[in-house]
Amino acid sequence: MKITQQSTESTLTLSLDGELDASSSVLLDTELSKPEILNNQKVLIDCRQLNYISSAGLGVFISHLQTFQDAGVKLVFFNMQDKVHNVFEILGLDSLMTIVPSEVEAVAV
């Protein structure tokens, strides 16, 4: 798993590349736990290169969701592959989290 960051004035984009499983979820958890991440209005998660997500990976997002909501930070997923989107859908997470098809739509949320 490789995570790259790109930030603008009020938005941080994390691009996930590879498989988000039990071992790599620690890296994501570390990134999302940084206090400065809450200084952004939006955190966009680019899933274009995310090939797999395990329950541990989903758990990282779920565990940070309330903190983001309390801080007024929008968490938006985009460019999600069908097989990854299906996992979110099966677990009902697509109704809890904002998932949009493209970066343009993610920025507009």
Side-chain angles (χ1 to χ4, degrees), residues 85-103:
H85 189 270
N86 286 342
V87 174
F88 279 76
E89 211 172 58
I90 288 168
L91 297 173
L93 298 175
D94 58 328
S95 62
L96 293 175
M97 300 179 181
T98 304
I99 303 170
V100 296
S102 69
E103 184 173 5

Side-chain angles (χ1 to χ4, degrees), residues 16-62:
L16 309 181
D17 187 349
E19 297 184 352
L20 183 55
D21 56 18
S23 62
S24 60
S25 65
V26 175
L27 178 63
L28 177 62
D29 187 51
T30 300
E31 290 299 321
L32 295 179
S33 297
K34 292 179 179 175
E36 61 268 20
I37 202 165
L38 298 177
N39 295 334
N40 295 284
Q41 291 178 350
K42 292 182 199 172
V43 175
L44 308 180
I45 308 294
D46 185 355
C47 300
R48 181 188 323 260
Q49 300 298 324
L50 181 63
N51 301 316
Y52 169 81
I53 187 166
S54 72
S55 58
L58 291 168
V60 170
F61 289 120
I62 292 168

Side-chain angles (χ1 to χ4, degrees), residues 64-95:
H64 289 279
L65 190 59
Q66 189 65 49
T67 303
F68 279 40
Q69 288 176 346
D70 291 347
V73 178
K74 293 181 183 176
L75 181 64
V76 183
F77 297 83
F78 69 99
N79 285 338
M80 197 174 276
Q81 296 182 23
D82 288 344
K83 60 186 175 185
V84 173
H85 189 270
N86 286 342
V87 174
F88 279 76
E89 211 172 58
I90 288 168
L91 297 173
L93 298 175
D94 58 328
S95 62

